[in-house]
């Protein structure tokens, strides 16, 4: 995992925004592995047994989707994945994401917004109601941005699954995977650029990360992959009661 986080975070976080580049990449199919880029909004902790998280981004997971196409991915807490979109190679290869808390007299919600084709305005596509959480009732305690893969360690060998584009981060914008325009909301609806960005890399021999500035970084490895650009196409919705799709009223 290549994990970006703020060394000093505000005590309450009400959302995040980020632009992610999107790639078609290779996973080790015999291991049932996946590769993804995403953000996390987190409260509680795994050790205390009260971890709550909202996660969204893009994922390549042949074991689930039966191909190696990148898909938009949204999760709540642990082991729940909802696939909304398949990405096709026709348009500019980035997507803009936002998740933000909304509080009015009747509803408290975590909204998910997505912008496409280099758009920096996110459009709401659904929400998580706060009643499904035990800790993410009003705000998050931490925000993180990361690339992640699974390693089945077949026959004791490190996986061949790519992270990001498959290139190491020192290649740059045209080839390496990036997350840029990072923002957080320390107050409801008030998004500001991220500051004091730090990183943790679990296996830099195979996958690494490079900071450009406090709102942008590259990540990935360990081989090259064919990049694809972004076009969103609605496909079969894997729906659970934990995520409410609001296209009918937006």
């Amino acid at each position: 995992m290549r994990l970006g986080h703020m060394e000093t975070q505000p005590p309450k976080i009400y959302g995040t925004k980020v632009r992610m580049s999107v790639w078609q990449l290779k996973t080790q199919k015999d291991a049932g592995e996946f590769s993804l880029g995403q953000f996390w909004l987190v409260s509680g902790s795994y050790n205390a047994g009260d971890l709550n998280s909202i996660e969204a981004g893009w994922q390549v997971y042949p074991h689930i989707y039966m191909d190696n196409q990148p898909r938009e991915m949204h999760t709540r807490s642990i082991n729940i994945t909802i696939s909304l979109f398949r990405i096709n190679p026709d348009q500019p290869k980035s997507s803009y994401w936002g998740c933000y808390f909304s509080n009015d007299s009747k509803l408290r919600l975590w909204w998910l917004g997505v912008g496409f084709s280099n758009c920096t305005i996110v459009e709401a596509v659904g929400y998580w109601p706060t009643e499904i959480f035990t800790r993410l009732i009003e705000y998050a305690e931490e925000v993180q941005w990361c690339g992640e893969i699974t390693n089945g360690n077949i026959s004791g060998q490190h996986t061949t699954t790519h992270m990001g584009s498959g290139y190491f981060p020192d290649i740059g914008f045209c080839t390496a995977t990036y997350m840029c325009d990072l923002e957080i909301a320390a107050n409801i609806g008030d998004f500001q650029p991220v500051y004091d960005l730090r990183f943790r890399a679990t296996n830099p021999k195979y996958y690494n990360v490079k900071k450009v500035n406090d709102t942008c970084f590259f990540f990935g490895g360990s081989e090259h992959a064919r990049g694809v650009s972004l076009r969103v196409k609605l496909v079969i919705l894997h729906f659970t009661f934990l995520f409410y799709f609001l296209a009918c009223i937006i």
Side-chain angles (χ1 to χ4, degrees):
M1 178 183 292
R2 299 294 163 270
L3 182 67
H5 64 282
M6 297 171 65
E7 185 70 14
T8 55
Q9 305 211 29
K12 298 180 180 181
I13 298 171
Y14 296 93
T16 185
K17 293 181 181 179
V18 57
R19 183 194 300 278
M20 308 181 193
S21 59
V22 181
W23 299 82
Q24 181 181 343
L25 48 79
K26 183 181 71 175
T27 62
Q28 189 167 322
K29 294 182 179 180
D30 57 346
E33 296 176 354
F34 67 78
S35 182
L36 60 79
Q38 67 173 19
F39 68 78
W40 293 5
L41 289 165
V42 183
S43 284
S45 71
Y46 181 81
N47 291 335
D50 63 352
L51 176 68
N52 284 194
S53 71
I54 290 174
E55 306 168 27
W58 62 275
Q59 180 183 56
V60 176
Y61 199 169
H63 181 70
I64 297 296
Y65 307 122
M66 308 306 294
D67 59 35
N68 67 340
Q69 296 297 317
R71 283 175 167 80
E72 308 292 340
M73 176 273 298
H74 321 281
T75 72
R76 172 267 194 187
S77 290
I78 300 172
N79 296 329
I80 296 169
T81 301
I82 302 156
S83 174
L84 285 174
F85 304 104
R86 185 177 65 214
I87 301 169
N88 290 328
D90 290 332
Q91 299 293 330
K93 54 173 184 272
S94 67
S95 57
Y96 195 63
W97 290 83
C99 184
Y100 47 94
F101 181 77
S102 176
N103 187 12
D104 61 29
S105 59
K106 296 181 180 180
L107 295 174
R108 294 192 300 174
L109 308 170
W110 286 100
W111 286 92
L112 175 68
V114 184
F116 305 110
S117 299
N118 289 326
C119 177
T120 58
I121 300 175
V122 295
E123 298 182 5
V125 296
Y127 66 83
W128 293 267
T130 58
E131 56 262 30
I132 67 176
F133 298 105
T134 60
R135 293 294 301 268
L136 282 167
I137 304 302
E138 183 178 353
Y139 59 86
E141 298 170 348
E142 188 174 3
V143 59
Q144 303 168 352
W145 307 268
C146 74
E148 181 181 347
I149 60 104
T150 51
N151 180 10
N153 202 34
I154 301 300
S155 302
Q157 300 297 313
H158 191 278
T159 180
T160 60
T161 291
H162 294 163
M163 180 187 292
S165 65
Y167 284 97
F168 279 88
D170 55 353
I171 299 298
F173 270 104
C174 294
T175 308
T177 299
Y178 62 82
M179 292 193 185
C180 287
D181 303 327
L182 273 65
E183 296 183 51
I184 61 165
N187 298 291
I188 295 177
D190 181 20
F191 282 89
Q192 301 293 331
V194 169
Y195 56 87
D196 201 14
L197 190 63
R198 298 289 186 270
F199 296 95
R200 182 172 72 248
T202 57
N203 198 334
K205 177 181 177 181
Y206 293 96
Y207 313 100
N208 217 328
V209 62
K210 180 180 180 180
K211 177 178 175 178
V212 178
N213 52 49
D214 277 335
T215 63
C216 183
F217 64 94
F218 299 112
F219 68 95
S222 57
E223 299 177 8
H224 68 84
R226 182 172 64 89
V228 299
S229 52
L230 179 70
R231 184 178 181 181
V232 175
K233 179 180 179 181
L234 190 65
V235 293
I236 296 174
L237 180 67
H238 302 283
F239 197 90
T240 78
F241 70 95
L242 298 176
F243 190 92
Y244 294 72
F245 186 67
L246 300 183
C248 59
I249 64 173
I250 296 175

